[in-house]
Amino acid sequence: MTQDPDHAVELLWREREREPRQGLSLDRIVRAAVELADAEGLAGLSMRKVADRLGFTTMSLYRHVPGRDHLVDLMRDAVLAEHPEPAAGGDWRTRLEEVARQAWRLRGRHPWLAEIRGTRHVPGPNAVARYDEMLGALTGTALRPSEVIAAAGLVGRFVDAEALLLVETRREERRSGVSEEEWWGARDSLYDRLDRYPALSHLWEAGGWDHPEDSFEFGLARLLDGIEALIRRRDETRDETCRECGTRLEPADSGRPRVYCSRACRQRAYRRRQTG
Amino acid sequence: MTQDPDHAVELLWREREREPRQGLSLDRIVRAAVELADAEGLAGLSMRKVADRLGFTTMSLYRHVPGRDHLVDLMRDAVLAEHPEPAAGGDWRTRLEEVARQAWRLRGRHPWLAEIRGTRHVPGPNAVARYDEMLGALTGTALRPSEVIAAAGLVGRFVDAEALLLVETRREERRSGVSEEEWWGARDSLYDRLDRYPALSHLWEAGGWDHPEDSFEFGLARLLDGIEALIRRRDETRDETCRECGTRLEPADSGRPRVYCSRACRQRAYRRRQTG
DNA sequence: CCTTTGCTGTTTATGCCGTACACGTAGTAG
DNA sequence: CTACTACGTGTACGGCATAAACAGCAAAGG
């Protein structure tokens, strides 16, 4: 019974019901779970602890939530509702950067977001909204549709990976009372053996580890640069690809340059202009 | 007792001893654990199962290995010994790309590598060798030392993130017998609600999901492009930064252009030329 | 009115997990 | 021979998710 994605869809997209005066409810469970995960991370989130926090037995939760996995899905969509600032206008780069930074900040507040694993999480309305914002930042560009999607996924995964790194170090630091720097500084028995690695030694002597780059800032800048390079390349050949689906255009028979690859694409574009 | 990093260093960097004719040994345990993790993933790796596979009791393992975490460290360094092809010559980009692809292929053979979490894993000799290769690909460039390190980390984390994605989908597909495509294709109850997300709908109608990009290839290309852009920028200002530590140079008093920012840096460079 | 039905929370139990601890046993150095 | 060490074992504890049967209660139907 742990596997009913359609049930998950219903829970995620359900209308918010009013809370009962007493007793459990889905929203109360989700809120308690979010608090717990904020404090102890996703690994520290257990059905027992959530139930304890609410003053009920463990199994009582299962009357409202199909299981732990679904609970995490619900938690995700709950916190993804925060900060609904509408995306500002501007060129694609500033917009995409802003969306990435918002995702980053959100993971600062709820680090467990980056710890969620698995590829079959049904998105709720807020997850889709965030995704749409990211896609929206890139849709105006010369990128092909599949490239827009790939780029959004790339940036999203980057943010998660960096956030994961950060939360892991932070939690370990809090747990052990030893900072990352102190811990690695005490690994003399390791450093004694690193002489015969040339690049490592060179960088060490050059002070490469003295003032490390901010890995989120550095990575984000490289990523945006990389996407920009592709967009520039696509811009150069923009007139040779279908404006709707991005496939390469056959050379036009007549003198007039073609814009769409097929009647279907032209009509799709036209219809959208009417409705949107 | 589970926390003794120096003990981990000793185990990882120990000389390989000859195997006993019978009974357990560290290497036998590590090999069995690798086989198990290859088949069932890191989550499916348990001390019980490793012991069963070897025909011993669970607790016998603890005579040779401090605990599960250390075992994983040992497994990592064991498989990182595979493929010791020396890095080929060439420009930085082809070298870095090749290192990334080797890491990618290795994670194809041992998907659990990407599942390892935590930031305080002591590297063994092979882990350091792989890291040194990646750093080495970038040391010839105009990047500053800290940027070389950041770029290597970025590429490394990218490979891990993509590998993690892949292994998660694959495992889920095998476990459930339903392919990712089929599973998402069956989520009609979800798609019914996605009309009011403009970018998403647009891309959907434009066929963006029909022929998706290969996310590893796409991401790697963008990343390399992004790093290339930075290198080009640094190349332009190469003569204005210290050749040793990369900080900006004060304008020279005399007419002759400066090369190093300080006597210390000049001496470091000189000494390295003598020894290396 | 009483009874039936369904919702909610509880109790108990199963099968995983890592590993602490006390115990045997066999080989070896003194 | 003895004491010591290395190695393997058995038992036990506390943690986890969750299946299954059960109890109370409120609304619905007769």
Side-chain angles (χ1 to χ4, degrees), chain B:
Chain B
M1 181 64 69
T2 222
Q3 302 291 8
D4 184 356
D6 291 325
H7 186 188
V9 173
E10 273 169 42
L11 287 176
L12 280 160
W13 292 81
R14 97 210 117 113
E15 316 271 321
R16 282 292 174 283
E17 295 141 16
R18 64 167 59 261
E19 304 239 325
R21 297 197 177 280
Q22 60 191 20
L24 280 171
S25 76
L26 220 177
D27 294 85
R28 280 211 251 271
I29 292 173
V30 171
R31 270 200 302 274
V34 167
E35 284 173 24
L36 218 170
D38 284 348
E40 303 191 31
L42 207 59
L45 175 82
S46 78
M47 302 300 272
R48 280 160 163 70
K49 287 191 210 162
V50 174
D52 282 353
R53 179 175 284 249
L54 290 164
F56 289 87
T57 59
T58 309
M59 291 312 292
S60 66
L61 304 184
Y62 287 87
R63 290 285 170 207
H64 304 264
V65 160
R68 200 193 112 115
D69 290 353
H70 285 17
L71 177 55
V72 173
D73 287 350
L74 290 160
M75 291 164 61
R76 182 170 76 133
D77 215 67
V79 299
L80 250 29
E82 298 174 13
H83 93 82
E85 310 165 24
D91 67 335
W92 70 267
R93 181 157 177 152
T94 57
R95 285 178 65 192
L96 182 58
E97 183 172 343
E98 183 51 26
V99 173
R101 285 186 190 285
Q102 276 182 354
W104 176 248
R105 282 193 290 268
L106 189 66
R107 276 147 189 77
R109 264 170 292 160
H110 305 292
W112 48 268
L113 274 177
E115 301 183 271
I116 299 176
R117 295 267 64 90
T119 57
R120 294 187 183 179
H121 296 278
V122 182
N126 300 307
V128 178
R130 296 294 90 76
Y131 188 43
D132 195 70
E133 283 169 13
M134 189 162 275
L135 294 173
L138 285 163
T139 31
T141 65
L143 290 182
R144 298 167 188 158
S146 65
E147 290 170 338
V148 169
I149 294 163
L154 179 62
V155 172
R157 280 193 295 281
F158 162 74
V159 173
D160 270 337
E162 294 295 335
L164 192 50
L165 196 68
L166 190 66
V167 60
E168 278 169 350
T169 61
R170 272 226 237 281
R171 227 193 295 287
E172 195 57 30
E173 286 180 343
R174 212 162 348 128
R175 203 189 57 74
S176 67
V178 182
S179 83
E180 199 73 0
E181 217 181 321
E182 288 168 341
W183 194 87
W184 283 105
R187 294 284 74 71
D188 293 337
S189 61
L190 172 64
Y191 302 133
D192 290 346
R193 328 208 190 208
L194 301 186
D195 300 331
R196 59 199 172 82
Y197 297 94
L200 199 62
S201 307
H202 172 194
L203 286 166
W204 177 262
E205 283 167 28
W209 275 272
D210 296 346
H211 304 288
E213 304 288 316
D214 179 312
S215 80
F216 175 75
E217 294 297 335
F218 181 88
L220 183 59
R222 296 299 77 70
L223 231 42
L224 292 172
D225 280 356
I227 294 170
E228 186 169 331
L230 181 63
I231 289 181
R232 254 205 277 274
R233 234 171 294 155
R234 291 281 174 269
D235 264 330
E236 285 167 16
T237 61
R238 187 164 214 173
D239 297 335
E240 302 160 28
T241 54
C242 172
R243 201 167 288 174
E244 178 68 17
C245 70
T247 55
R248 179 159 235 93
L249 288 177
E250 300 299 317
D253 293 339
S254 69
R256 208 153 49 87
R258 301 181 57 178
V259 177
Y260 299 105
C261 68
S262 65
R263 204 170 299 134
C265 272
R266 192 209 318 281
Q267 289 180 351
R268 264 209 294 264
Y270 176 77
R271 235 177 295 129
R272 196 168 50 255
R273 233 171 291 138
Q274 301 303 89
T275 61

Side-chain angles (χ1 to χ4, degrees), chain A residues 127-194:
Chain A
V128 178
R130 297 292 90 76
Y131 188 42
D132 195 69
E133 283 169 13
M134 188 163 277
L135 294 173
L138 285 162
T139 31
T141 66
L143 290 181
R144 300 169 188 156
S146 65
E147 290 170 337
V148 169
I149 295 162
L154 180 63
V155 172
R157 280 193 296 282
F158 162 75
V159 172
D160 271 336
E162 295 295 334
L164 192 50
L165 196 69
L166 191 67
V167 61
E168 279 169 350
T169 61
R170 272 226 237 282
R171 228 194 295 286
E172 194 59 31
E173 287 180 342
R174 208 156 358 123
R175 202 189 58 74
S176 66
V178 182
S179 83
E180 198 74 0
E181 216 181 322
E182 289 169 341
W183 194 88
W184 283 105
R187 294 284 75 70
D188 293 335
S189 61
L190 172 64
Y191 301 134
D192 290 345
R193 327 207 192 209
L194 300 186

Side-chain angles (χ1 to χ4, degrees), chain A residues 23-24 55-57 59-60 63-64:
Chain A
L24 281 170
F56 290 87
T57 60
M59 292 310 293
S60 66
R63 290 283 169 210
H64 304 263

Side-chain angles (χ1 to χ4, degrees), chain A residues 148-270:
Chain A
V148 169
I149 295 162
L154 180 63
V155 172
R157 280 193 296 282
F158 162 75
V159 172
D160 271 336
E162 295 295 334
L164 192 50
L165 196 69
L166 191 67
V167 61
E168 279 169 350
T169 61
R170 272 226 237 282
R171 228 194 295 286
E172 194 59 31
E173 287 180 342
R174 208 156 358 123
R175 202 189 58 74
S176 66
V178 182
S179 83
E180 198 74 0
E181 216 181 322
E182 289 169 341
W183 194 88
W184 283 105
R187 294 284 75 70
D188 293 335
S189 61
L190 172 64
Y191 301 134
D192 290 345
R193 327 207 192 209
L194 300 186
D195 300 331
R196 59 199 174 80
Y197 297 93
L200 198 63
S201 307
H202 172 195
L203 286 167
W204 177 262
E205 284 167 26
W209 275 273
D210 296 347
H211 303 288
E213 304 287 317
D214 179 313
S215 79
F216 175 75
E217 294 298 334
F218 181 88
L220 183 59
R222 297 298 77 71
L223 231 42
L224 292 172
D225 280 357
I227 293 170
E228 185 168 331
L230 181 64
I231 289 181
R232 256 206 275 274
R233 233 171 295 152
R234 291 282 174 267
D235 263 329
E236 285 167 16
T237 61
R238 185 164 216 176
D239 297 336
E240 301 159 29
T241 53
C242 172
R243 200 166 289 175
E244 176 70 16
C245 70
T247 55
R248 178 160 236 89
L249 288 176
E250 300 298 319
D253 294 338
S254 67
R256 208 151 49 88
R258 300 181 58 179
V259 176
Y260 300 106
C261 69
S262 65
R263 204 169 299 133
C265 272
R266 193 207 319 278
Q267 288 180 351
R268 265 208 292 265
Y270 176 76

